[in-house]
Amino acid sequence: MKVYTSVIFWMRAMACLSIVMIHTITTTFYKFEMPNEGYLLRVFQLLLLYATPIFVFISEFLLAKHYKTEVKEGFVKQKLLILGIPYIIINLGLAYVYGHPENLKEYMESVNFMMFHGGTLTYFIIIIFQFYALHMLFAKYLVKLNPIKMIFYSLIITSLFWAMRTFIDAPDAFYLNWMWQREGWMVFIGWLSYFLLGFYMGYYYETFMANIQRYSVHILVGTLIVTVITVFNYLSGWLTLVDSKRIDTPLYVTMIILVFFLISSYTKYVPR
């Protein structure tokens, strides 16, 4: 029998509200001239960018918590129905609304861009499906490895992936160039730390929650430090991109996730 996990309610709720705020702020910048280039608003937006990574984290966390190293029979079919079909239908619509095609050929090109080239915000569903595949292929091996080391290594890999896209010019070779384009958003490498964090926190959930309060100070101080560094990176001009695909985002999101679970260890309240 599945046990309701209250922290997931709050993470989903806050992530949904944050995504609405992120796009509201983006629209505001398009519509209005902001004083002082809107730095304060941009910083606020930057701090909300944990939202999309948290959704992909949740997908693996719940999978590992409920099914450990296996998945139930019919799992793939179920996910294709509840995620795959909506992904197709939504993008078929968006291809028409935002692509402004004048004929069938242009419409199909727009559909191709939306579905397979990261043309819309629904790209994170492709990442979630990659997480499902990684879980089914490697979960039984991951449980034999050290969780702390694996999460640490994945943070380095994920951060380096976004650093590569930020500081290294895209190569001309077509088989590499796509990694620097929107298609690169859809590759699991840039989200690997959230997969491993979700897997190990879900698999060892009970043990993790029984011990998390011992590290309250470490988590809170660490979150404060990482947040200050993230804001400094933006205000200093070193990382001006306000996006969830930054070098400092993986560590920032990791600390935010830990704060959610820390708070949840003290209260299980969920609105009825």
Side-chain angles (χ1 to χ4, degrees):
M1 179 179 177
K2 294 182 181 179
V3 179
Y4 185 73
T5 310
S6 61
V7 65
I8 298 302
F9 169 86
W10 289 110
M11 293 177 79
R12 283 173 172 161
M14 294 303 296
C16 285
L17 291 173
S18 296
I19 287 175
V20 171
M21 287 297 299
I22 288 167
H23 294 294
T24 300
I25 293 171
T26 298
T27 302
T28 300
F29 275 97
Y30 280 131
K31 299 284 187 180
F32 305 100
E33 290 289 334
M34 303 300 295
N36 300 318
E37 300 184 20
Y39 276 121
L40 288 179
L41 200 55
R42 280 298 191 196
V43 168
F44 178 59
Q45 186 181 36
L46 178 66
L47 298 180
L48 296 176
L49 290 171
Y50 63 83
T52 298
I54 272 187
F55 274 118
V56 296
F57 161 85
I58 289 173
S59 68
E60 176 55 26
F61 170 82
L62 292 176
L63 187 58
K65 181 176 183 291
H66 295 316
Y67 304 116
K68 302 304 180 182
T69 59
E70 304 292 336
V71 296
K72 66 179 181 179
E73 184 178 351
F75 173 81
V76 175
K77 179 181 178 181
Q78 179 192 43
K79 295 304 178 182
L80 286 173
L81 288 174
I82 65 175
L83 287 177
I85 291 178
Y87 177 80
I88 293 172
I89 293 174
I90 290 171
N91 282 300
L92 287 175
L94 293 176
Y96 180 79
V97 173
Y98 291 105
H100 306 292
E102 297 183 357
N103 51 57
L104 181 60
K105 181 177 181 294
E106 290 184 0
Y107 176 67
M108 294 309 297
E109 290 174 349
S110 181
V111 169
N112 178 58
F113 175 68
M114 298 293 181
M115 285 194 184
F116 306 111
H117 299 275
T120 71
L121 295 175
T122 56
Y123 71 87
F124 75 90
I125 295 178
I126 299 299
I127 299 165
I128 289 175
F129 272 110
Q130 291 176 73
F131 278 17
Y132 293 152
L134 289 172
H135 183 96
M136 290 185 286
L137 290 171
F138 301 111
K140 59 185 176 183
Y141 304 110
L142 291 174
V143 294
K144 301 175 183 178
L145 302 175
N146 185 298
I148 301 300
K149 288 183 179 179
M150 291 300 294
I151 292 171
F152 177 74
Y153 296 150
S154 70
L155 281 168
I156 294 175
I157 292 171
T158 303
S159 299
L160 287 177
F161 178 81
W162 298 121
M164 175 191 74
R165 287 172 47 100
T166 303
F167 297 113
I168 299 177
D169 293 333
D172 294 329
F174 75 92
Y175 53 86
L176 291 175
N177 182 273
W178 66 272
M179 293 286 284
W180 276 256
Q181 310 308 320
R182 297 179 72 95
E183 294 86 348
W185 299 356
M186 305 170 74
V187 181
F188 73 87
I189 300 172
W191 310 84
L192 184 62
S193 63
Y194 313 125
F195 168 77
L196 287 173
L197 187 66
F199 174 76
Y200 285 117
M201 288 178 68
Y203 190 87
Y204 296 109
Y205 176 72
E206 290 75 16
T207 302
F208 175 75
M209 293 303 290
N211 291 279
I212 190 172
Q213 292 185 11
R214 294 167 52 190
Y215 302 95
S216 297
V217 174
H218 302 77
I219 292 172
L220 294 175
V221 173
T223 302
L224 177 61
I225 292 172
V226 170
T227 301
V228 169
I229 291 173
T230 301
V231 173
F232 175 79
N233 288 341
Y234 172 71
L235 294 178
S236 67
W238 186 58
L239 292 174
T240 56
L241 177 69
V242 179
D243 199 293
S244 59
K245 296 167 276 293
R246 292 164 48 102
I247 303 169
D248 48 15
T249 301
L251 185 56
Y252 172 69
V253 173
T254 297
M255 298 311 299
I256 294 296
I257 289 171
L258 291 177
V259 168
F260 270 111
F261 279 84
L262 178 62
I263 294 173
S264 177
S265 72
Y266 286 98
T267 175
K268 297 293 189 289
Y269 171 74
V270 174
R272 297 296 180 184

